[in-house]
Structure formats: structure tokens, C-alpha cells
Amino acid sequence: MQTVPPTEVLMKYPFALLVGILVTFVLTPVVRLIANRVGLVDQPRRRHTHEKATATGGGIAVFFGFHAACFAMFVLPWSPFQGMLDAVWWWHFLLISTVLV
């Protein structure tokens, strides 16, 4: 069994978290702008709390942020996970989740 240096463990997970947060943070206004231009908006109705049209599709920014974090975990040169999680697993997951989106 391969031993992982403690600094790598301390850097790998926070780095992936920050990549996911940063990508989502940057893409959210872009997705909002595109949604407004394309007409992907939720119009206010009696049962809704918002009073003006609200852009939908923010899940797309989260999707890209999540997969950017996965890229940071699986493709960058960190030591591999124990078990079956590797870059091939992530590519399969990316394909399937893209079809679902």
C-alpha cells in the first residue's frame, strides 16, 4: 500500500473545494445573464415569493463547479484514491451526469 504524504492530504481536498466554489461563483452570473437573454426565467405568480422574473438554470453553474472539483481531484497529479475511484470512473460519471443535465 502506498503512503500519502500528510501535506498532500491537507492540500488535496481544500484545493478541490476551492476550485468548485470558485468555478460556481464565476459561472453563476454568466448563467444568469444567458438565462435572461434566452428567456429561461420563472415568471412571478400568486404562489411564488419573487416579485420579478427570476432566472433559472443555476444548477448548470453548480454542475460545472462540481465537475471542476472532480477534475481537480482525479486528473491533477495527486496520489490515487484507494479502491476503484480514478479518472476513468470520473469520465464515466461526467458522461452520465451530462446526459442527465
Side-chain angles (χ1 to χ4, degrees), residues 4-97:
V4 179
T7 55
E8 185 172 329
V9 173
L10 290 174
M11 296 302 294
K12 179 182 194 177
Y13 299 106
F15 179 74
L17 176 68
L18 288 175
V19 166
I21 289 171
L22 182 65
V23 168
T24 303
F25 182 75
V26 168
L27 286 182
T28 298
V30 174
V31 170
R32 182 183 306 143
L33 180 69
I34 292 170
N36 281 326
R37 287 199 177 158
V38 175
L40 270 165
V41 292
D42 188 22
Q43 298 297 331
R45 291 181 280 239
R46 200 175 81 198
R47 298 179 70 182
H48 292 184
T49 58
H50 56 273
E51 298 186 6
K52 62 180 185 174
T54 304
T56 58
I60 295 170
V62 174
F63 171 81
F64 283 113
F66 173 78
H67 282 293
C70 285
F71 179 86
M73 292 293 286
F74 292 111
V75 178
L76 296 180
W78 307 103
S79 61
F81 291 98
Q82 278 186 306
M84 302 297 290
L85 295 178
D86 58 0
V88 174
W89 175 89
W90 173 62
W91 284 108
H92 291 139
F93 183 70
L94 175 63
L95 176 68
I96 293 168
S97 62

